[in-house]
Amino acid sequence: MSSTSEPEERVLEAALRPKNLHDFVGQQRVREQLSLVLEAARIRERTSDHVLLSGPPGLGKTTLAMIIAAEMNAPLRISSGPAIQHAGDLAAILSSLTEGEVLFLDEIHRMSRPAEEMLYMAMEDFRVDIVVGKGAGATAVPLELPPFTLVGATTRAGLLPGPLRDRFGFTGHLEFYSVDELELVLRRSAMLMDLKVNSAGFTEVASRSRGTPRIANRLLRRVRDWALVHQIEQIDARSASQALEMYEVDARGLDRLDRSVLSALCTKFGGGPVGLSTLAIAVGEETETVETVAEPFLVREGLLGRTPRGRIAMPEAWSHLGLTPPAGVFD
Ligand code: ADP
């Protein structure tokens, strides 16, 4: 993707975001529970409990944070763990919040330790201690905060320290979407994009979308481009699959990263077990990218296994890549 097309992609992504819980497809349990939390807060005329959302990227955590703010009729402030490296960064954000504001902290597991500790008190007592001065003369000045709702998002709930996790009144874990649910996401997006797609065309795109709405919308845009260039009026299964083959998305939805992880596992490490960081080096990616972007989907698809001794290729991984496992591997 060229850098000039990125802002347009982002504008389109924002335009496709559902604005309320009603339009938010799937995740029924989380949606119902959240709706109850928000309704109770409205009846009590209080800010909602803090909400933690976990799950792989692109499943709707940011979208839900925006919906929470909209449903509470409250402004939304967006920041992220990596942007908060010092307690002072967090203090600056917290002290400028207005009453009832929703603060969305993406990748909350990547916040620095001192900031995290400041957040405990802010979440519980709506108060922070600002340290003024240095060394022996340093004093903590308490600062009252207006009540606010924190919405934290993480791709790795297991990495959050217990005391932080415990301070969220509600935790929702987002699951991968079914093909049917992704079809609903795509139908809505196609309507907003004024794009003609038949039923089989939607199924084809949905089944290649790795259970992820962000990917479904992205693939739909690629199919749209392809149809435009090839002057195709209505997208069907054949045109969708031709377009997506071109973008290296295979029939099962595996993209280049997924396939290179599996193929390294099979061809360089004889199917494993191999440690995560070694595997990441072999495919030239960050450990976290392999762990949070590729692995959850590969595990769900039964292609990759996590064992105490490392990652292993499952029998289906070999057949999907058209490879034969070495003799004795699955005996
Ligand atoms: P995350 O924050 O989990 O990475 P986002 O909330 O940014 O994911 O969602 C990515 C895109 O996918 C959004 O632009 C939105 O249009 C779409 N999307 C996510 N979840 C849903 C959903 N449940 N229904 C419809 N569209 C969704």
Side-chain angles (χ1 to χ4, degrees):
M1 191 191 308
S2 81
S3 58
T4 47
S5 74
E6 272 177 17
E8 193 214 324
E9 294 273 326
R10 244 178 285 135
V11 169
L12 201 51
E13 179 163 304
L16 298 180
R17 267 184 213 285
K19 304 279 185 292
N20 51 52
L21 274 181
H22 179 76
D23 286 349
F24 191 86
V25 173
Q27 311 293 346
Q28 198 184 345
R29 177 131 23 115
V30 171
R31 211 153 27 100
E32 281 172 7
Q33 292 168 338
L34 198 54
S35 163
L36 204 77
V37 170
L38 298 180
E39 187 60 32
R42 271 196 296 263
I43 293 171
R44 292 168 59 229
E45 296 183 7
R46 302 282 283 272
T47 54
S48 150
D49 268 354
H50 304 301
V51 173
L52 178 66
L53 300 170
S54 70
L59 297 195
K61 299 182 291 297
T62 310
T63 306
L64 275 180
M66 291 177 169
I67 291 175
I68 291 171
E71 301 257 333
M72 295 305 289
N73 222 345
L76 174 73
R77 183 82 59 93
I78 298 182
S79 189
S80 72
I84 300 174
Q85 281 316 307
H86 306 283
D89 300 334
L90 182 64
I93 295 174
L94 291 173
S95 60
S96 64
L97 290 176
T98 55
E99 181 155 352
E101 194 155 354
V102 173
L103 171 62
F104 176 59
L105 288 185
D106 201 4
E107 297 188 79
I108 194 167
H109 61 279
R110 293 178 60 189
M111 210 164 43
S112 74
R113 204 61 215 257
E116 202 174 274
E117 276 162 17
M118 173 180 273
L119 193 57
Y120 296 162
M121 201 199 277
M123 289 171 80
E124 204 153 82
D125 303 328
F126 298 118
R127 196 167 64 91
V128 286
D129 282 338
I130 309 273
V131 178
V132 183
K134 279 200 167 128
T139 43
V141 180
L143 178 72
E144 297 288 327
L145 303 172
F148 65 96
T149 299
L150 176 69
V151 180
T154 179
T155 46
R156 308 173 68 191
L159 274 193
L160 280 195
L164 182 54
R165 233 179 313 154
D166 294 345
R167 283 171 169 79
F168 287 97
F170 171 73
T171 300
H173 180 73
L174 302 189
E175 306 284 347
F176 284 115
Y177 292 67
S178 68
V179 172
D180 286 352
E181 289 168 340
L182 290 176
E183 280 187 42
L184 291 178
V185 172
L186 287 167
R187 279 179 192 278
R188 181 176 169 275
S189 301
M191 204 179 66
L192 293 171
M193 289 161 67
D194 208 10
L195 199 63
K196 284 203 193 76
V197 185
N198 74 10
S199 212
F202 281 124
T203 311
E204 188 66 34
V205 180
S207 51
R208 292 182 185 233
S209 299
R210 300 174 95 256
T212 308
R214 176 182 289 137
I215 296 180
N217 284 337
R218 194 196 299 149
L219 297 187
L220 187 65
R221 293 197 289 270
R222 297 291 74 82
V223 172
R224 172 204 60 187
D225 294 348
W226 193 90
L228 198 67
V229 171
H230 290 81
Q231 298 181 329
I232 287 175
E233 274 274 310
Q234 176 167 277
I235 294 156
D236 58 11
R238 193 160 160 268
S239 41
S241 73
Q242 279 180 342
L244 296 178
E245 289 295 337
M246 220 191 95
Y247 291 105
E248 298 180 85
V249 176
D250 70 25
R252 211 164 162 167
L254 270 63
D255 60 19
R256 196 164 357 149
L257 173 64
D258 299 321
R259 276 194 306 273
S260 64
V261 167
L262 286 187
S263 128
L265 193 49
C266 294
T267 58
K268 293 191 178 145
F269 304 104
V274 59
L276 173 65
S277 48
T278 310
L279 187 57
I281 290 168
V283 297
E285 276 294 344
E286 299 275 331
T287 308
E288 181 159 343
T289 307
V290 173
E291 190 175 22
T292 61
V293 179
E295 270 194 4
F297 179 70
L298 295 175
V299 169
R300 191 191 74 150
E301 289 288 294
L303 295 165
L304 182 141
R306 287 191 246 221
T307 73
R309 291 173 53 224
R311 272 54 178 173
I312 54 165
M314 303 299 276
E316 272 199 52
W318 294 89
S319 54
H320 186 71
L321 296 175
L323 300 170
T324 312
V329 167
F330 294 114
D331 296 343

